[in-house]
Amino acid sequence: MLLSIVSSSIISSSAISMVTSPGLPQYGAVVVVGLIALLSLKEVLSASKEWNTSLNSSFNLVILPLLFCFGAIVFFKVSEII
């Protein structure tokens, strides 16, 4: 019984991994929309009187990894074309 559960789990996980492509482009749209939203929010809030260095560093902490992901997505898409 346990062996059949383990073997069916292995078969289904290998089938899933063969169907989905590895890498960041799976979530590319989420990264781009999130990056645009955070950059827009940062720009709007920077004109506010509530803006301070703590808020600035918090936004930078979230935006920087999304920028790296965006760069990786652009690199992946360009290398896919070439």
Side-chain angles (χ1 to χ4, degrees), residues 7-70:
S7 65
S8 67
S9 172
I10 291 171
I11 291 170
S12 65
S13 67
S14 64
I16 291 172
S17 67
M18 289 184 344
V19 173
T20 59
S21 62
L24 293 172
Q26 297 173 358
Y27 305 105
V30 174
V31 169
V32 170
V33 168
L35 184 61
I36 290 172
L38 285 171
L39 286 172
S40 301
L41 190 60
K42 182 179 177 182
E43 187 66 29
V44 168
L45 287 177
S46 67
S48 171
K49 63 180 178 179
E50 303 295 326
W51 188 255
N52 57 20
T53 58
S54 176
L55 195 58
N56 186 28
S57 62
S58 296
F59 269 101
N60 288 339
L61 188 68
V62 175
I63 289 173
L64 193 61
L66 288 176
L67 280 174
F68 286 134
C69 289
F70 179 74

